[in-house]
């Protein structure tokens, strides 16, 4: 059953009760990586957990479906090329969650890009515990996604 989440802004990324921060370097240049983040339908090609993605509201939002059937209706809360791309979840079928925001920060690193992804969330005690337990899986998913995106951008 879809439920509406608490609308949060970019500051939530720094203040959320649960924050997972992952960082990795890529060979691809910052501008190319940022372009891939803005290309919403393209996410399904490089982020294995994303089975479908489409822009909505003239690009101000995103509809995301994860493998396993979890769905998100999101609002883009920051799109400052080529440094930051962030969004919050407005509606989801994921139980126990009250708020989610994700931020992708990009910075030059040698001839490539340092990518930092922050997953920020809050919810019931059971949800927070489940998200903390899932951290290792998120780290793997991030690593694999960045690796796949780098291959895609460098072929």
């Amino acid at each position: 059953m879809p439920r509406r989440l608490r609308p949060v802004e970019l500051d939530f990324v720094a203040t959320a009760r649960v924050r997972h921060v992952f960082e990795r370097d890529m060979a691809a240049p910052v501008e190319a990586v940022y372009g891939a983040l803005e290309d919403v339908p393209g996410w399904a090609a490089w982020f294995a957990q994303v089975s479908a993605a489409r822009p909505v509201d003239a690009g101000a939002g995103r509809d995301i479906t994860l493998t396993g059937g979890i769905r998100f209706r999101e609002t883009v809360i920051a799109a400052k090329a080529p440094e930051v791309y962030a969004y919050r979840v407005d509606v989801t079928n994921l139980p126990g969650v009250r708020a989610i925001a994700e931020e992708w920060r990009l910075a030059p690193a040698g001839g490539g890009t340092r990518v930092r992804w922050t997953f920020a969330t809050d919810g019931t005690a059971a949800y927070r515990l489940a998200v903390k337990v899932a951290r290792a899986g998120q780290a793997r998913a991030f690593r694999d996604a960045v690796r796949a995106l780098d291959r895609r951008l460098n072929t």
Side-chain angles (χ1 to χ4, degrees):
M1 171 178 4
R3 75 183 105 275
R4 182 158 291 282
L5 303 188
R6 183 174 82 238
V8 294
E9 296 303 327
L10 194 56
D11 63 332
F12 182 72
V13 171
T15 62
R17 290 182 73 167
V18 178
R19 296 176 63 246
H20 295 173
V21 181
F22 308 100
E23 195 168 275
R24 229 168 144 78
D25 288 351
M26 299 175 61
V30 173
E31 293 78 10
V33 177
Y34 187 85
L37 293 176
E38 281 195 320
D39 174 23
V40 175
W43 282 59
W46 57 269
F47 207 118
Q49 287 70 24
V50 176
S51 60
R54 69 181 182 91
V56 295
D57 301 328
R62 306 163 13 128
D63 271 347
I64 304 293
T65 303
L66 301 182
T67 56
I70 296 171
R71 298 178 53 155
F72 300 113
R73 167 61 64 101
E74 301 171 341
T75 296
V76 176
I77 55 176
K80 300 174 188 162
E83 296 102 20
V84 63
Y85 184 76
Y87 42 88
R88 71 165 178 250
V89 175
D90 296 317
V91 178
T92 186
N93 61 346
L94 184 64
V97 63
R98 293 186 185 126
I100 298 174
E102 298 180 40
E103 176 190 69
W104 295 76
R105 286 227 173 243
L106 309 177
T113 304
R114 175 156 296 138
V115 179
R116 186 178 74 214
W117 174 49
T118 303
F119 175 83
T121 191
D122 191 16
T124 63
Y127 168 81
R128 290 192 315 270
L129 177 62
V131 169
K132 287 178 183 178
V133 169
R135 187 181 196 293
Q138 280 185 312
R140 243 184 336 276
F142 171 72
R143 180 199 63 221
D144 293 349
V146 168
R147 190 177 294 150
L149 179 59
D150 210 16
R151 278 193 308 267
R152 183 175 174 85
L153 294 175
N154 286 304
T155 53

